[in-house]
Every structure is written in C-alpha cells, then in structure tokens.
Amino acid sequence: MSYPDQVPARRPVVVTTAAALLGLMALAAGVYAVTTLLALRGTVDRFRVAAADTAADPGDVDGVVRLLRLGTVGAAVLTVLVGLLLVGLAGGLLARRRAARIGVWVVCGLGLLAGGCALAALVGQRVRPLRLGSGDQGVADLFGTLDDAYPSWWVPVNAGVSVGQALGYLVVAVLLVLPAASTWFATRRPVGPGSGPPPFTPASEPDPGAVPPVPPPR
C-alpha cells in the first residue's frame, strides 16, 4: 500500500533553480545598493560644480541635494530589504513551505510591475526631460544639471538592472508553476526519519482452546 501524501520526494531541479535565482537576485540587489551609495558623493560634487554656472539660488541647490541624498539612501535601504525578503523566500522554497511558494508569486508580480515602471520612467526621463514654467527656469536648469551629474554608466546599469529584475522574476514564477514543482509542494513534508503511516497489524483472534478466567469468589 502506498501513501502518496507522505512519501518524501526528492527536491525537483526546478525548485532548486528557482531558489538559486532568488539568492542571486538578492546578491545583485545588495551590490546595486552599495554601488549607488558609493556613487552618491561624486554625483553630489559634480552637481554642485555644475549648478554654480546656473541661475538657481543656493537654497534651491541645497534642496535638490537633500532630495538626491534622501532618494538614494531610501532606495538603497528598500533594495536591501527586498534582497533579505528574497533570501527568506528562497529558504522557504528549499524547506518545501507552500506559503513561501505563494509569497514568491506575489513578490514576482510586484517585482515585474516595479521593474517595468522603473524602466519606463528612466526611458521617459531621457526621451522627454522635465519641463517647468518660465518662472521656474532656475529649478529646471538644476534638474537638467542633475541628469548630467550622474556617472556615465548610470543609465545603462539602471536599465540593465530593471530588465534583469523583470526577467528574473518571470523565470522564477514560471519555474514554480511547472508540474514537478506543483507535485513536490503538494506532498506533505516528512516529520522525521521514522515518519510515515504506522505498519498494519491485524487484530489478534481469540484462541478457541484457551480457558476463560474464573472470577474470584465473593
């Protein structure tokens, strides 16, 4: 007799690959966060030098610098948190937790949406820069100067990260939909090396030659 919901199946390659991809994406997220923080100081220095040749007020320059620092640090912290979440989900997949599989699908959907929005914003910023009114010409010049203050590798790296993020989430989601992954997550995890259904022991039949016990006298 077989017990399909108790058999400890070997982990499929698709699940291991999905967990490895999540770990790789988490590592890439950490590297990207550190890289953006390291590039922040040079970007601010180049921006201040270029802003000196514009008609912007020093207060506006300081405001843009604060906005740049706050946005960069906030994005780096968010990226690190997402990386930690991916590591936790990868561990849940390897441990055959069904909730982790569902969580990966949710994160993949959100990641695809975020990656597409980031790529669209990056392309839109380059194709159609921000245009303000004539009274805000100094602020418009500052934002144009800020675009030029980023390193030359900034746009290609960000575009590559957005595309790679979207592809990675898509591949992970597809791997976890495959039949091998569905079958593996549908089975129960074994509790221990000796877990499983107890062996069948037939009920003992009474011996016809046995003498029934005599009750004690009252």
Side-chain angles (χ1 to χ4, degrees):
M1 181 181 298
S2 60
Y3 298 87
D5 61 339
Q6 294 283 349
V7 176
R10 178 180 298 179
R11 183 189 309 124
V13 177
V14 292
V15 176
T16 304
T17 304
L21 284 177
L22 289 177
L24 184 61
M25 293 170 63
L27 178 61
V31 172
Y32 176 76
V34 173
T35 302
T36 54
L37 291 178
L38 293 178
L40 176 60
R41 182 174 181 180
T43 302
V44 170
D45 293 341
R46 287 188 295 270
F47 170 72
R48 287 191 178 278
V49 171
D53 298 331
T54 63
D57 296 332
D60 294 336
V61 175
D62 294 337
V64 174
V65 170
R66 286 193 297 269
L67 181 63
L68 174 62
R69 287 175 174 168
L70 181 62
T72 303
V73 174
V77 172
L78 180 61
T79 302
V80 171
L81 293 178
V82 171
L84 295 177
L85 176 61
L86 294 181
V87 172
L89 291 175
L93 292 181
L94 297 178
R96 196 193 284 182
R97 294 191 178 95
R98 302 176 187 177
R101 187 190 184 200
I102 299 174
V104 169
W105 281 333
V106 174
V107 171
C108 286
L110 295 176
L112 284 171
L113 179 61
C117 292
L119 184 60
L122 185 64
V123 173
Q125 181 181 1
R126 291 297 174 179
V127 173
R128 190 173 184 179
L130 178 65
R131 297 184 182 276
L132 300 177
S134 58
D136 298 327
Q137 186 60 39
V139 178
D141 293 341
L142 285 182
F143 280 104
T145 302
L146 179 60
D147 291 339
D148 298 332
Y150 284 105
S152 58
W153 50 264
W154 183 260
V155 174
V157 167
N158 278 270
V161 167
S162 299
V163 174
Q165 172 186 352
L167 290 178
Y169 284 128
L170 181 61
V171 171
V172 170
V174 171
L175 288 175
L176 294 180
V177 176
L178 295 178
S182 299
T183 302
W184 193 68
F185 281 103
T187 59
R188 298 179 183 177
R189 290 183 301 160
V191 180
S195 61
F200 174 75
T201 54
S204 59
E205 299 180 356
D207 187 0
V211 179
V214 179
R218 299 180 179 179

